[in-house]
Amino acid sequence: MEPEAARRRIEEAGQEQLLRFWDELSAGQREALLGELRLLEPGELAEHCQRAREAYIREGSCPQRLDDRMCPVPAEFLGSVRRGQPGELRAWEEEGLCQISQNKVAVLLLAGGQGTRLGVTYPKGMYNVGLPSGKTLYQIQAERIIRLQQLAGEKYGTKCTVPWYIMTSEFTLDPTQKFFEEHNFFNVEPSDVVMFEQRMLPAVDFNGKVILERKDKVAMAPDGNGGLYKALVDNRILEDMEARGILYIHVYCVDNILVKMADPVFVGFCVSKGADCGAKVVEKAYPAEPVGVVCKVDGIYQVVEYSEITAETAEKRNPDGSLTYNAGNICNHFFTVEFLRRVAGTLEPSLGYHVAIKKVPYVDEEGNLVKPSQPNGIKMEKFVFDVFQFAKNFVAFEVIREEEFSPLKNADTAEKDTPTTARRSLLWQHYRWAVRGGAKFIDANSHVIEEDARNPEREDAPAVCEISSLISYAGEGLDLHLKNKELSSPFILESHVL
Ligand code: UTP
């Protein structure tokens, strides 16, 4: 595209500022900027900027309250690990393992986010939270897949595969690919790892003007984890799933260190109920916890944010004392491939955008690069869970937070959802598994750590214990290795030492 044509297009969209530094740019920089502008269609760009500005103004006004229109997920569509009968849970697990053993289940990782709150320059999956093994989130996940394939294969006498689809973005694709290659795909078969890229959208300032990140670069951001549905089409991922005979997908976020990928209990529950769309949920920790709640609004399933209900509704209780709106969304979803086909095919355009107000680095009028200390930009995102509304048979499945949910969102300066809390959650879990498996931990003086020293309220587990996911997916089979063993802390159980 010629510079004049670019200027006309940009003017048509009301975004002349993007060429503000044109005269100062080198030939290479001009080419780079033109390359970016070529991808922005003027009509769509103008609409995007206007939508962002309007959403930002709406955001500043009083949030719409949904209290009078809500009702909780009906009991018959809500499964629970806590309340399920042991026989029932076992049957769901067997159903899930059976589907996995027949190569019908895949996992899909949402890994296109920028991880701005954590503040690292590389993809979050490459983060090491400081476990004794030094494993990264990607490695932990890879090992869970390998172990699950083994469990399902052994139970049903097959050799099976759980393909790993990984949605990345412009920020995360190259480093993720390189990281996997450098680590030999953590021993997952490379042809079973399918990485693809989501789209990007320009970040916009509060006046509806696209932000320049550098003199020659537009500030772009991934289009949210709900960008998944467009990305599935762009990259022909559903065709890949169908070619492999996949029927069911477990979608999850990169940052939950306890994620049970393709959890057979959850998959089995959803399949048994004939669901096309399902969500794992955890009980809210306290009424005002700022998590989205899965419920019905005007009879249609959706996730309601804490800001959309009054404190009174958040505190409402059932006769047994539990919170009425208790189903905290943990971004852990089940979809049939058929459902994804329906969404990606025709329904996706009707998903609304959410506005995220963020600090977006920019170049000021004088051409200086500025890292703002206050939010200055609007990013428009779609959310993966906004498709619940399209489900013909939606189910929710409640799991135990301590066993399944501990997200890494913030740097260690924050109180919650940090590398430290993620590490502690995993080490506590492995400590519990080891004790359940019959191990005893001894302290530096060879004294057994007594039961009463194990106060679940304390932050660190009484002993440091890490168990490779290659050995145990969910705490199973550990008596074989640990029964009546005296272990001193730190203890690491790795497959190569068995
Ligand atoms: P978050 O909403 O926590 O965003 O993503 P984030 O990018 O990880 O972190 P912040 O908000 O910048 O600090 C939840 C999940 O959705 C994925 C993330 O990678 C994470 O697994 N995600 C988010 C995408 O895949 N694409 C996006 O555009 C945004």
Side-chain angles (χ1 to χ4, degrees):
M1 184 167 52
E2 292 302 312
E4 268 325 300
R7 192 172 295 279
R8 271 197 308 278
R9 282 162 61 95
I10 289 303
E11 281 172 1
E12 207 182 309
Q15 301 294 330
E16 309 69 27
Q17 79 287 354
L18 293 176
L19 292 171
R20 196 194 299 142
F21 298 104
W22 182 258
D23 295 341
E24 300 174 31
L25 301 183
S26 67
Q29 287 173 317
R30 286 180 175 184
E31 197 37 55
L33 183 57
L34 283 182
E36 285 195 324
L37 299 182
R38 226 172 263 144
L39 301 174
L40 304 173
E41 200 279 316
E44 280 176 18
L45 181 59
E47 197 187 321
H48 168 72
C49 294
Q50 184 173 347
R51 201 189 288 131
R53 196 174 134 63
E54 285 170 4
Y56 168 69
I57 293 169
R58 262 200 318 275
E59 187 83 348
S61 59
C62 252
Q64 196 196 1
R65 302 281 189 201
L66 300 173
D67 305 60
D68 298 339
R69 297 162 48 197
M70 289 164 60
C71 72
V73 179
E76 63 270 33
F77 301 115
L78 177 64
S80 166
V81 166
R82 210 186 295 271
R83 289 186 302 275
Q85 299 301 318
E88 213 175 22
L89 293 172
R90 212 172 314 116
W92 291 332
E93 182 175 29
E94 280 174 10
E95 174 66 40
L97 286 172
C98 180
Q99 299 294 342
I100 291 167
S101 75
Q102 295 173 22
N103 298 311
K104 290 184 183 163
V105 182
V107 289
L108 193 154
L109 165 60
L110 302 169
Q114 291 172 286
T116 47
R117 286 169 288 171
L118 183 60
V120 289
T121 52
Y122 51 84
K124 242 193 227 181
M126 289 164 55
Y127 198 86
N128 159 9
V129 300
L131 292 169
S133 66
K135 285 178 190 171
T136 58
L137 296 175
Y138 282 146
Q139 181 168 358
I140 295 170
Q141 293 171 21
E143 294 185 351
R144 287 190 187 138
I145 293 181
I146 294 171
R147 172 68 182 156
L148 186 61
Q149 291 175 163
Q150 187 189 12
L151 281 174
E154 277 171 6
K155 184 161 179 67
Y156 290 96
T158 62
K159 187 170 176 330
C160 60
T161 301
V162 177
W164 193 2
Y165 294 92
I166 305 182
M167 184 175 81
T168 59
S169 64
E170 191 182 295
F171 292 103
T172 58
L173 179 60
D174 286 349
T176 300
Q177 233 158 13
K178 209 159 147 253
F179 193 67
F180 272 64
E181 279 158 17
E182 279 166 8
H183 292 87
N184 191 29
F185 284 70
F186 308 102
N187 295 324
V188 173
E189 171 58 45
S191 61
D192 294 329
V193 180
V194 180
M195 293 189 198
F196 60 102
E197 208 174 323
Q198 67 180 108
R199 294 191 193 180
M200 306 283 283
L201 286 171
V204 173
D205 72 14
F206 298 153
N207 297 313
K209 296 290 178 189
V210 172
I211 297 174
L212 266 183
E213 182 180 302
R214 289 195 318 250
K215 290 180 180 178
D216 61 338
K217 183 159 184 16
V218 178
M220 300 288 281
D223 57 355
N225 55 27
L228 169 66
Y229 307 106
K230 271 192 190 136
L232 290 175
V233 176
D234 290 348
N235 300 284
R236 301 184 59 77
I237 296 299
L238 295 174
E239 286 74 358
D240 186 277
M241 291 171 177
E242 284 160 355
R244 291 172 192 257
I246 301 293
L247 297 182
Y248 310 114
I249 308 292
H250 175 222
V251 173
Y252 69 101
C253 291
V254 71
D255 49 23
N256 176 11
I257 197 167
L258 300 181
V259 65
K260 283 172 79 174
M261 307 164 66
D263 174 13
V265 185
F266 178 49
V267 170
F269 170 77
C270 293
V271 172
S272 308
K273 297 285 173 196
D276 52 356
C277 172
K280 254 191 193 182
V281 296
V282 294
E283 276 189 335
K284 279 177 84 169
Y286 50 96
E289 188 184 15
V291 295
V293 168
V294 179
C295 59
K296 278 181 164 183
V297 175
D298 298 332
I300 291 168
Y301 285 103
Q302 72 170 67
V303 175
V304 168
E305 300 298 338
Y306 181 68
S307 55
E308 293 174 311
I309 53 176
T310 58
E312 201 186 341
T313 299
E315 279 162 22
K316 212 165 153 192
R317 291 191 184 267
N318 301 319
D320 67 1
S322 59
L323 290 172
T324 305
Y325 294 103
N326 208 11
N329 179 40
I330 56 170
C331 194
N332 218 300
H333 308 310
F334 167 94
F335 299 122
T336 60
V337 172
E338 201 184 328
F339 176 77
L340 290 176
R341 262 263 169 249
R342 211 156 61 80
V343 171
T346 50
L347 301 168
E348 191 283 334
S350 63
L351 294 176
Y353 281 95
H354 298 256
V355 48
I357 309 296
K358 302 253 176 168
K359 294 179 213 162
V360 182
Y362 67 100
V363 54
D364 69 10
E365 296 285 335
E366 283 75 47
N368 305 308
L369 296 180
V370 183
K371 266 196 150 188
S373 56
Q374 294 301 320
N376 62 319
I378 309 165
K379 292 182 181 176
M380 298 293 275
E381 298 185 338
K382 289 193 174 184
F383 288 171
V384 68
F385 56 70
D386 276 344
V387 298
F388 293 176
Q389 60 180 310
F390 305 130
K392 290 184 178 155
N393 189 5
F394 179 87
V395 292
F397 190 66
E398 186 201 295
V399 297
I400 297 168
R401 184 186 288 246
E402 295 70 38
E403 296 296 332
E404 301 213 21
F405 185 55
S406 180
L408 172 64
K409 297 286 183 196
N410 305 308
D412 258 332
T413 41
E415 295 248 305
K416 213 173 141 242
D417 303 342
T418 64
T420 299
T421 59
R423 183 177 65 248
R424 280 183 179 145
S425 303
L426 187 115
L427 293 177
W428 254 113
Q429 181 184 57
H430 290 191
Y431 170 81
R432 289 193 298 270
W433 289 356
V435 170
R436 222 181 298 144
K440 283 194 172 13
F441 284 89
I442 49 173
D443 64 18
N445 302 318
S446 299
H447 293 141
V448 172
I449 298 174
E450 297 297 337
E451 279 298 318
D452 61 2
R454 299 188 197 123
N455 174 1
E457 294 298 312
R458 53 197 268 181
E459 293 178 322
D460 281 315
V464 176
C465 170
E466 184 184 350
I467 296 166
S468 166
S469 299
L470 291 171
I471 297 174
S472 190
Y473 171 83
E476 78 288 346
L478 290 173
D479 48 349
L480 198 68
H481 312 294
L482 301 181
K483 195 158 187 180
N484 298 327
K485 292 257 169 73
E486 287 199 339
L487 309 174
S488 48
S489 172
F491 171 74
I492 308 184
L493 187 59
E494 270 299 349
S495 52
H496 59 258
V497 296
L498 292 178

